[in-house]
Amino acid sequence: MSSVNLSTWVQTCSMFNQAARSRSSTLNLLHPLKKQSISFQTPKRRRPTSSFSSISVSAVLTEQETIKGDEEEKPTFNFKSYMVQKANSVNQALDAAVSIREPQMIHEAMRYSLLAGGKRVRPMLCISACELVGGDESVAMPAACAVEMIHTMSLIHDDLPCMDNDDLRRGKPTNHKVFGEDVAVLAGDALLAYAFEHVAVSTVGVPAARIVRAIGELAKSIGSEGLVAGQVVDIDSEGLANVGLEQLEFIHLHKTAALLEASVVLGAILGGGSDEEVEKLRSFARCIGLLFQVVDDILDVTKSSQELGKTAGKDLVADKVTYPKLMGIEKSREFAEKLNREAQEQLSGFDPQKAAPLIALANYIAYRQN
């Protein structure tokens, strides 16, 4: 089970303060809260010819020392402590959920990538949303583990030679480099299947109707109208000169934001949130899901490989369309600020103390340095 690395906490914390002093004007861009229905021409598919390394430093955290509003009576929220505690809980639950058993090789392959580290942002969003609407961590934990299993599946499959052809992931050889392409495919498939089993079997103290609703949300988020849709359009957009902001937003709302959205919505449903609360949190999650990708695009062209902990400039080499490529760096940063503001506006009707973790997670996503 991976340890938590706090090496960039101070640097990211300073970004919070800098951003608070300098807010950019709102951009008239596509709105992430309005889902798009877009028709695409299907171009001739091309595959990247180069191999790229992709390393994610284990659980790099930041701290928002205080959630400020009415400063006199609100207690300090220690984001670093919260993140460390939740990451440890999630790691322990994942370790217990996927144990070594027969056939041993497939379970070793599943555990190899699942327990390789990572920030555990998706599970934390799930747990925080559940707690916000009055639920407990234990209620959300099976779903939190499930979204991390599915996220890990997507990384294993993305790294395959037929996709992004990466040799490194989170500082270690990718799954197919260790276990072979055949076992890597099956390990991803097994994690995907087990994610749904885990939610169905391990969620306790929740009415069956809520569990069924949560499973439906999760399935939709990763299928042909969710993660897969974004992945396919992304593949078919590589090398094209006429990809605009509307198509780029479609890619990232589906490829990246859909699973982040599902993480929050699952937590809200299982925690007993009302329909109004679930939809407000869905809107929050859609904004931070797109924000996550905008920041990724910016970091890819502004940071070194050493700073990122993964190969910098890989999107440029693969000739992928990105926000900086279409808008420039500064406009991309302004768009990120806009998304963060709009996300946090969706939390305005909730108890500020209970909403503090989600506010801090939104700021973490916005101002992270890798």
Side-chain angles (χ1 to χ4, degrees):
M1 190 162 55
S2 62
S3 61
V4 177
N5 183 346
L6 304 179
S7 60
T8 61
W9 168 62
V10 175
Q11 183 180 8
T12 309
C13 189
S14 69
M15 290 292 291
F16 284 168
N17 298 330
Q18 180 180 352
R21 291 193 297 268
S22 176
R23 294 291 187 186
S24 302
S25 59
T26 300
L27 300 181
N28 294 320
L29 297 171
L30 298 175
H31 203 295
L33 303 186
K34 297 178 182 177
K35 287 216 172 185
Q36 306 292 327
S37 178
I38 310 170
S39 297
F40 301 108
Q41 293 181 346
T42 303
K44 183 177 180 181
R45 294 174 63 169
R46 37 190 319 275
R47 300 289 187 189
T49 57
S50 302
S51 297
F52 310 109
S53 300
S54 181
I55 311 167
S56 178
V57 177
S58 171
V60 178
L61 307 178
T62 183
E63 176 180 21
Q64 184 178 353
E65 294 182 353
T66 306
I67 304 299
K68 292 188 177 180
D70 299 324
E71 296 184 0
E72 294 181 358
E73 298 183 359
K74 291 192 177 180
T76 298
F77 173 67
N78 189 323
F79 185 44
K80 180 183 73 170
S81 176
Y82 180 87
M83 288 283 277
V84 170
Q85 186 268 316
K86 295 302 184 188
N88 286 338
S89 295
V90 169
N91 285 333
Q92 290 172 14
L94 289 170
D95 187 33
V98 183
S99 59
I100 295 293
R101 51 191 183 272
E102 294 297 332
Q104 187 167 325
M105 178 178 288
I106 191 65
H107 291 98
E108 287 178 348
M110 293 163 68
R111 286 172 58 86
Y112 176 81
S113 294
L114 186 64
L115 304 178
K119 303 174 183 70
R120 308 306 191 200
V121 169
R122 291 158 188 82
M124 289 183 203
L125 287 169
C126 182
I127 294 168
S128 297
C130 181
E131 293 176 334
L132 175 59
V133 298
D136 296 326
E137 178 183 297
S138 60
V139 167
M141 188 59 77
C145 289
V147 295
E148 191 67 13
M149 291 175 196
I150 292 173
H151 175 55
T152 301
M153 173 278 296
S154 73
L155 299 181
I156 293 173
H157 286 179
D158 275 352
D159 291 337
L160 290 167
C162 64
M163 297 289 284
D164 286 348
N165 195 25
D166 277 337
D167 294 336
L168 290 175
R169 171 72 66 180
R170 293 170 176 166
K172 303 169 77 173
T174 46
N175 198 288
H176 67 274
K177 287 292 181 181
V178 176
F179 296 95
E181 292 179 38
D182 47 3
V183 174
V185 170
L186 294 172
D189 294 345
L191 284 168
L192 176 60
Y194 187 58
F196 290 96
E197 178 186 344
H198 193 58
V199 175
V201 173
S202 300
T203 304
V204 296
V206 178
R210 282 192 212 164
I211 298 174
V212 171
R213 182 182 175 190
I215 289 173
E217 286 278 353
L218 184 57
K220 185 175 181 180
S221 75
I222 62 174
S224 61
E225 296 181 356
L227 185 152
V228 171
Q231 186 74 59
V232 168
V233 176
D234 186 33
I235 289 170
D236 285 341
S237 298
E238 290 175 14
L240 297 182
N242 61 344
V243 177
L245 281 172
E246 189 176 11
Q247 187 163 333
L248 180 61
E249 184 172 288
F250 178 94
I251 291 169
H252 294 318
L253 280 175
H254 292 76
K255 180 181 175 182
T256 303
L259 188 55
L260 284 160
E261 178 181 326
S263 302
V264 172
V265 170
L266 262 63
I269 290 172
L270 295 171
S274 66
D275 288 346
E276 181 182 359
E277 289 174 328
V278 169
E279 291 311 309
K280 288 191 73 172
L281 287 169
R282 186 190 301 279
S283 297
F284 162 81
R286 194 168 298 158
C287 282
I288 65 167
L290 188 56
L291 171 64
F292 193 98
Q293 189 60 52
V294 174
V295 172
D296 252 11
D297 286 355
I298 293 170
L299 293 176
D300 191 61
V301 294
T302 59
K303 298 293 182 179
S304 67
S305 298
Q306 183 177 3
E307 289 173 310
L308 291 178
K310 62 182 180 180
T311 304
K314 60 182 293 186
D315 290 339
L316 182 63
V317 175
D319 202 16
K320 288 189 175 184
V321 63
T322 64
Y323 281 96
K325 184 176 181 180
L326 293 183
M327 301 168 59
I329 297 293
E330 290 307 313
K331 290 294 183 183
S332 297
R333 285 175 173 151
E334 291 175 19
F335 187 34
E337 289 283 340
K338 175 177 181 283
L339 289 169
N340 191 17
R341 287 196 301 272
E342 291 186 352
Q344 296 190 34
E345 286 169 3
Q346 299 301 314
L347 302 177
S348 60
F350 292 98
D351 182 327
Q353 292 184 34
K354 290 185 177 180
L358 287 179
I359 292 170
L361 280 163
N363 284 330
Y364 168 67
I365 290 169
Y367 304 123
R368 63 197 170 93
Q369 295 297 293
N370 61 14

